[in-house]
Amino acid sequence: MSAGGRSSQLLALVAIFFSSYIVGIYSAARASSLVQTSELKVNNTLIPGNDTLLAEEEEDSSLARSGSRHPRWFPFYTIGRFSNDICTGNNLLLGTCVINGECSDNSGVAAGSCSSITAQAICCIYQRTCGASTSYNNTYFYNSNYPAPYAGGGRCSIVVTPPDSSICQLRVDFLSLSLAPPSGDGSCATDALTITGGASQVPSICGENAGQHVYVDFNGVSPITISVATSGSYTFNRNWQFQIRMLGCTSATLAPAGCLQYYMPSSGTLASFNYVSAASSALNSIGVQGTRQLANTKYGICIRKAAGMCSISYSQVGSDTYSFTLTNDVGAVDPTLLATSSVQSQDCTTDYIIIPAPTQDGVAMPSDRFCGLGLVTTTTAAKPFVVYTVTDGNEDMDISNRGFYLSYSQNACPIL
C-alpha cells in the first residue's frame, strides 16, 4: 500500500476514535448535568460578621457548587479535577475554588487565583440582587447599585433552593442592613426583611442590624425566600448585603433546635434586633417617645459551649448606659441609675429575656425572667447556653426603650 493510502487509513482511525470519545463525553453529560466534586473543608475560616468563626467544619463540596443549572454539553473543564475549597477572593469576599469556565457559566465573578495545581483555578464569588435565585453556597445578596443606597419602593427578593436533602439549615449574615426604623410601637410598618418558606419562624426585621445573623431550618428541599419590602414614600438611605450559607445536616456549626441565632466564640456580645443606643425619633400610639425594640418576637439566642467550659455569665455592656432597657419609662429614670433599675421576677410578662437556672454570686435567683431598666451580672450552668427573648405587641408604657446589648463570657470548669 502506498504511503498516501496508509496516511488516509490512519486519519480515518483517528477520526473514529475522536468521535467515540466525544460521544462518550456527550452521553455522560446528558446522564448527569451535575459534576461530582470532592470534599470541601473549612478550618478556622473567619467570615465577616461579629460571631462567625467556623472551626473544623466539613461540608460536602456540593454546597459550594450545588450543580450547574445550565450545564454545557461539552464540559471540558471537568476533566481536570481538584478540591473545590472555600477561598477568599481579592475583594475579601468568600468564594469557591473552581475552573474559570465553570465560574463564568454560573454567573460568578472571578476574584483572583486559588490553586497551585492549575492557573485556570479561580476564586469564584456568587453575587445576586433583586429577582435572583441561587443554589450556591456563600452567595451574596445585595440591593441594586450596592453600596449606593436603595431608593425604596417595592419588593426585592432572592429564592434559595438547597441542592439536595443533605442540606438542613441556612445561615444569613447581615454584613450590612439598614432599613427604615420601626414605628414607635415596634412594628416594621415601613420597611421589612422577611424570610419565609423554612421550617422555622423568623420575625419581620427592620432598622439597623449590620452584624446580626439568623439561622433558618430548611423544610426538606423546599426553597427559602429572603425578601426586603420597602416604601417609596419614605425617604431613607437603605442598603443591605447578606452572605447566604447552606449547612449540611452533619455540619459541626449547625444551630441547635429553637435557636434563631447561634454564636460561636466563647465570649463576645449579643443584641436584640435594631439595638442602637440612641433613642427612637418616632412616637408610639399614645403620643410619647416610642421604642426601638421590635414588637411580637419570640426566639432563642444560643452560644456554642467551648471545650472545658461549664458555665456562662451575662452582663450589660459597660460602655453603654442603655444596654438593657426593655420595659418601663427610660426617660423617667436618671441615666446613671438605669443599670440598677432591674426587675428579676415572674412578674416580667410583656417584654423580657429568660436565662435558664440563673445564679448571682453562686446563689440561685428566684426567677429566670429579666426585664426593667437594668441587668445584674448573671451566671448559669444550664445547657445549652441560651437566652430567650420575648416581646409583646403593646409598647404603650415602654417609653424610649432600646432593647438589650449584652456581654457574655464562658467560665472554665472547676478543677476537682
Side-chain angles (χ1 to χ4, degrees):
M1 182 182 294
S2 66
R6 287 194 298 271
S7 296
S8 297
Q9 283 189 331
L10 181 59
L11 288 173
L13 288 171
V14 169
I16 291 170
F17 174 79
F18 186 74
S19 297
S20 299
Y21 179 71
I22 292 299
V23 169
I25 294 178
Y26 178 87
S27 299
R30 290 297 300 262
S32 175
S33 63
L34 302 181
V35 178
Q36 297 300 315
T37 58
S38 56
E39 187 177 60
L40 172 67
K41 294 184 178 180
V42 182
N43 292 314
N44 296 322
T45 299
L46 186 62
I47 294 176
N50 65 344
D51 69 307
T52 50
L53 183 66
L54 302 184
E56 298 180 0
E57 176 182 354
E58 295 189 1
E59 301 271 2
D60 184 79
S61 65
S62 61
L63 301 186
R65 288 168 55 177
S66 62
S68 172
R69 297 298 183 189
H70 306 285
R72 302 196 300 185
W73 292 128
F74 301 99
F76 289 112
Y77 53 73
T78 67
I79 296 174
R81 298 269 298 278
F82 62 94
S83 180
N84 298 115
D85 293 331
I86 287 181
C87 54
T88 301
N90 52 23
N91 55 5
L92 301 183
L93 299 180
L94 289 187
T96 305
C97 192
V98 299
I99 293 296
N100 193 27
E102 185 177 3
C103 183
S104 59
D105 277 2
N106 295 316
S107 302
V109 176
S113 61
C114 61
S115 174
S116 59
I117 297 176
T118 172
Q120 292 298 312
I122 54 92
C123 192
C124 187
I125 312 295
Y126 298 108
Q127 300 181 94
R128 302 290 187 265
T129 187
C130 306
S133 60
T134 186
S135 291
Y136 299 103
N137 197 26
N138 282 319
T139 296
Y140 292 86
F141 173 56
Y142 49 86
N143 62 275
S144 55
N145 300 318
Y146 182 86
Y150 181 75
R155 184 176 297 272
C156 177
S157 302
I158 186 171
V159 178
V160 184
T161 303
D164 54 55
S165 59
S166 70
I167 309 305
C168 278
Q169 228 170 45
L170 190 71
R171 173 173 170 138
V172 185
D173 282 281
F174 307 156
L175 306 184
S176 173
L177 180 56
S178 182
L179 300 177
S183 69
D185 294 301
S187 66
C188 294
T190 304
D191 294 352
L193 164 67
T194 58
I195 302 178
T196 57
S200 49
Q201 298 297 313
V202 182
S204 293
I205 298 170
C206 55
E208 303 299 328
N209 291 283
Q212 295 274 20
H213 71 277
V214 295
Y215 283 79
V216 190
D217 292 333
F218 277 105
N219 185 7
V221 294
S222 298
I224 288 174
T225 299
I226 302 171
S227 184
V228 180
T230 59
S231 173
S233 62
Y234 187 91
T235 302
F236 191 80
N237 287 332
R238 304 165 173 88
N239 69 79
W240 65 88
Q241 183 188 39
F242 303 151
Q243 182 190 18
I244 301 170
R245 269 186 71 84
M246 286 181 275
L247 301 177
C249 300
T250 60
S251 170
T253 59
L254 208 67
C259 302
L260 181 66
Q261 297 186 304
Y262 190 34
Y263 289 81
M264 304 298 171
S266 60
S267 62
T269 58
L270 52 86
S272 52
F273 292 118
N274 191 44
Y275 182 87
V276 178
S277 183
S280 170
S281 60
L283 301 181
N284 67 11
S285 59
I286 62 173
V288 296
Q289 192 170 47
T291 183
R292 292 198 67 97
Q293 62 189 6
L294 304 185
N296 294 310
T297 65
K298 186 177 182 180
Y299 60 93
I301 305 173
C302 300
I303 299 96
R304 183 168 65 173
K305 190 183 84 66
M309 299 295 178
C310 280
S311 64
I312 188 168
S313 298
Y314 303 96
S315 60
Q316 289 187 228
V317 171
S319 60
D320 188 346
T321 303
Y322 299 95
S323 59
F324 193 89
T325 48
L326 269 67
T327 56
N328 301 326
D329 186 348
V330 173
V333 178
D334 184 335
T336 62
L337 301 177
L338 282 176
T340 64
S341 302
S342 60
V343 178
Q344 201 270 309
S345 167
Q346 292 300 117
D347 292 336
C348 295
T349 58
T350 56
D351 302 335
Y352 55 91
I353 65 171
I354 295 174
I355 300 175
T359 65
Q360 182 182 16
D361 297 328
V363 178
M365 303 179 81
S367 171
D368 58 5
R369 295 189 180 190
F370 299 81
C371 58
L373 302 175
L375 178 74
V376 296
T377 299
T378 302
T379 301
T380 179
K383 314 295 190 303
F385 295 154
V386 58
V387 174
Y388 296 103
T389 176
V390 177
T391 60
D392 69 355
N394 184 356
E395 301 297 321
D396 287 351
M397 296 296 102
D398 299 323
I399 301 169
S400 195
N401 290 341
R402 275 67 154 175
F404 60 84
Y405 176 37
L406 304 179
S407 297
Y408 71 87
S409 180
Q410 296 185 37
N411 308 303
C413 299
I415 299 175
L416 300 178

